[in-house]
Amino acid sequence: MTNTTATNAAIIRIRGLRKSFGEHLVLNGIDFEVMPKQVVVVIGPSGSGKSTLLRCCNGLEKAEGGRLDICGLTLVNDGLMLPDADLNALREEVGMVFQSFNLFPHLSVRDNITLGPRKLRGLSHAQAQIEADVLLKKVGLTDKANAMPASLSGGQKQRVAIARALAMKPRVMLFDEPTSALDPELVGEVLQVMKLLASEGMTMMVVTHEMGFAKEVADVVVVMDDGAIIESGPPETIFSRPSQERTRHFLQAVLTKA
Amino acid sequence: MELDFSPVWKGWPQLLEGALITIEITSISLLLGCFLGLLVGIGRLNPARRFIYVVCTAYVAAIRGTPLLVQLFILFFGLPHFGLLLPAFLCGVLGLGVYSGAYVSEIVRGAIQSIDKGQMEAARSIGLSSSQAMLEVILPQAVLRMIPPLGNEFIALIKNSALVSLLTIHDLMHEGQKIISISYRSLEVYLAIALIYFVLTGITTLALRKLEQHLKAGGMVQ
């Protein structure tokens, strides 16, 4: 899975990104890149700005400073956002999976998945359904196509949410703590789907506390603290020989808890 | 004192005709109120769209801050001064509809704002525009939450419609008063009118309860 073709243009390029909520500086000059087919896992203590960074990547948060290019478009540059119409088109290429699933509760599982393709990719009902059923098979929920979200377990909901994002045929997938709201016994089924995606060459940026996943799947682990990247590198290096004291502290705290 | 309901029995067809007018006028004002309420409620969601926000907020403040009777009289007795003479029925419908719209707009706004913001984010993150997200994702969920408070509003509207009898509209209240003016049996007739209003509001309550149960059974409401 390790990406060696570093000559490819980065699919996400972030330069000096800054973002604050009121007085509180959440992102303080972030620089990094994600290459096509790379899996980048972002870790760090809560409040370090991981989720905000991820949400900046599809314009759910607006960064006030710095520049963010994604999928060949400049999403934000010095506080200037991409116009709304272009932003909508861009979001079709950038899938997002949320911690709290955010399935549409009034739509069946299948309709959750087909809504985007029908409204945005111009697919007919029938075409969209065929695609949805392929995706449901991929995430192992063929039998739940007609179920309403309220009847699903957390793990099932999150797998539907992944299928919904994939239905737009994105070039990048962003995962915002996808397993943090799950009961421990349901985490595995979601991680398994994510591993499958990674093995198929999906470009992924994942904010998570699942260190096992990071070790096993990540090409690059990015450690954030206090709105900045304190170090990044291959998982072997980060987990066994971190260069920063803060990384060591954080890993110790997380791993002893686990 | 002895009660004599014979004028009520004799005037029954007249009362029913009045009740039909009441149903007609409240139904039309209800539609108008819902239409206005939806527009104004959405208009008040985003203060950044300054002009729309200010107009909608001023409308709600003006309507909620003044008595319905005064609003009806302004329409009926005031507008002719500007050469605008509207038929009484239209004044009644407009007055009730515009009045109801202000309250419905608050119901709409509250219901939309009660939808978890993750829903909008999820809809936007698959690429839907904000109006597509509103139409496909937010409103269908918000409408379900509007049903109980809208029920209250419908019932208030049915009762408030008695005021249009003062605009010479031949509604239930007006027909009752006509019977009283001949028979002088005010208590009996008012009791009969009260009973008819009670039946109308009761039917509305039951219908809305059924609707809610139906939607719950379909898994649309948690």
Side-chain angles (χ1 to χ4, degrees):
Chain A
M1 250 169 287
T2 309
N3 178 50
T4 47
T5 54
T7 45
N8 283 359
I11 197 160
I12 304 177
R13 174 180 280 119
I14 299 175
R15 288 284 173 268
L17 205 68
R18 284 193 319 280
K19 162 87 190 163
S20 47
F21 291 120
E23 299 275 282
H24 181 56
L25 195 60
V26 195
L27 297 179
N28 188 9
I30 301 285
D31 292 285
F32 89 101
E33 290 177 356
V34 178
M35 293 304 198
K37 303 196 172 193
Q38 235 179 7
V39 176
V40 174
V41 170
V42 186
I43 62 174
S46 60
S48 58
K50 311 179 297 284
S51 288
T52 307
L53 175 61
L54 198 74
R55 290 162 60 84
C56 283
C57 292
N58 75 344
L60 283 179
E61 300 291 350
K62 180 183 167 188
E64 292 112 15
R67 174 172 173 158
L68 195 160
D69 294 272
I70 181 165
C71 295
L73 286 171
T74 304
L75 175 57
V76 61
N77 189 6
D78 266 337
L80 204 68
M81 285 279 270
L82 202 62
D84 235 21
D86 297 332
L87 183 56
N88 293 339
L90 173 65
R91 281 172 171 153
E92 295 182 33
E93 306 202 41
V94 183
M96 175 104 176
V97 174
F98 299 87
Q99 179 178 350
S100 50
F101 329 125
N102 296 344
L103 292 182
F104 308 134
H106 61 300
L107 299 178
S108 70
V109 164
R110 194 187 267 128
D111 290 344
N112 261 275
I113 299 171
T114 59
L115 179 65
R118 281 189 294 112
K119 294 291 160 191
L120 301 167
R121 289 177 45 218
L123 295 196
S124 71
H125 234 289
Q127 285 171 309
Q129 282 205 5
I130 293 169
E131 285 198 13
D133 291 349
V134 172
L135 288 170
L136 280 172
K137 190 168 173 208
K138 185 176 204 162
V139 299
L141 289 171
T142 305
D143 54 328
K144 295 291 182 190
N146 296 311
M148 295 306 278
S151 69
L152 303 181
S153 73
Q156 291 170 333
K157 282 182 190 167
Q158 196 60 298
R159 286 186 281 155
V160 174
I162 293 172
R164 177 176 68 182
L166 290 175
M168 296 310 294
K169 301 200 184 296
R171 291 168 60 193
V172 188
M173 286 282 283
L174 308 174
F175 292 85
D176 188 6
E177 304 203 23
T179 58
S180 298
L182 297 177
D183 290 336
E185 76 271 21
L186 302 176
V187 169
E189 59 190 69
V190 172
L191 293 182
Q192 207 172 356
V193 170
M194 291 168 65
K195 283 177 199 166
L196 175 66
L197 288 183
S199 71
E200 290 175 349
M202 175 61 80
T203 308
M204 293 162 63
M205 185 167 159
V206 184
V207 171
T208 188
H209 292 290
E210 292 297 328
M211 297 303 148
F213 176 82
K215 271 184 203 162
E216 193 181 334
V217 185
D219 297 306
V220 177
V221 174
V222 172
V223 188
M224 284 185 71
D225 193 16
D226 242 352
I229 292 177
I230 54 175
E231 69 176 302
S232 68
E236 310 84 69
T237 315
I238 299 290
F239 287 109
S240 48
R241 301 183 301 280
S243 65
Q244 298 292 316
E245 189 58 32
R246 280 187 289 174
T247 308
R248 252 192 297 274
H249 270 299
F250 170 70
L251 288 175
Q252 226 160 32
V254 178
L255 295 174
T256 47
K257 203 189 91 190
Chain B
M1 187 197 132
E2 229 174 86
L3 289 176
D4 175 12
F5 282 98
S6 61
V8 172
W9 304 135
K10 232 189 295 170
W12 197 242
Q14 206 180 330
L15 286 177
L16 284 187
E17 242 168 78
L20 280 181
I21 299 281
T22 291
I23 293 171
E24 199 178 334
I25 210 163
T26 34
S27 309
I28 301 173
S29 347
L30 189 69
L31 291 178
L32 178 62
C34 286
F35 176 71
L36 277 176
L38 191 63
L39 292 184
V40 173
I42 292 175
R44 292 190 71 200
L45 284 175
N46 187 358
R49 267 172 286 167
R50 189 123 194 90
F51 178 72
I52 296 175
Y53 178 79
V54 167
V55 169
C56 293
T57 304
Y59 158 72
V60 174
I63 297 298
R64 291 206 306 180
T66 54
L68 172 58
L69 186 60
V70 175
Q71 293 164 22
L72 289 169
F73 280 176
I74 288 174
L75 278 175
F76 191 64
F77 298 114
L79 287 187
H81 285 289
F82 301 99
L84 193 60
L85 187 66
L86 299 175
F89 188 83
L90 187 58
C91 282
V93 166
L94 274 181
L96 286 175
V98 168
Y99 178 80
S100 180
Y103 288 89
V104 172
S105 79
E106 288 294 274
I107 293 171
V108 169
R109 190 169 68 105
I112 289 175
Q113 284 176 337
S114 77
I115 303 294
D116 181 60
K117 78 175 173 41
Q119 290 291 309
M120 183 51 103
E121 289 185 349
R124 297 304 303 273
S125 76
I126 54 176
L128 295 176
S129 69
S130 60
S131 45
Q132 279 174 321
M134 182 59 79
L135 218 58
E136 301 287 339
V137 175
I138 306 297
L139 274 180
Q141 295 180 59
V143 163
L144 300 173
R145 297 194 186 174
M146 292 177 205
I147 292 171
L150 272 183
N152 281 337
E153 182 51 35
F154 295 174
I155 286 164
L157 192 62
I158 293 171
K159 296 187 293 180
N160 283 334
S161 75
L163 288 175
V164 303
S165 62
L166 296 165
L167 309 187
T168 72
I169 295 173
H170 294 217
D171 74 327
L172 174 58
M173 187 73 183
H174 191 91
E175 292 305 315
Q177 280 168 333
K178 280 203 300 204
I179 297 173
I180 293 168
S181 66
I182 305 166
S183 64
Y184 301 105
R185 284 290 167 184
S186 46
L187 177 60
E188 294 86 339
V189 176
Y190 282 134
L191 280 175
I193 291 174
L195 183 69
I196 297 175
Y197 277 114
F198 185 73
V199 169
L200 290 181
T201 55
I203 291 171
T204 310
T205 308
L206 285 178
L208 284 161
R209 196 175 300 160
K210 277 266 175 275
L211 177 65
E212 225 185 319
Q213 276 167 359
H214 175 74
L215 294 171
K216 265 188 190 146
M220 301 280 281
V221 195
Q222 271 109 54

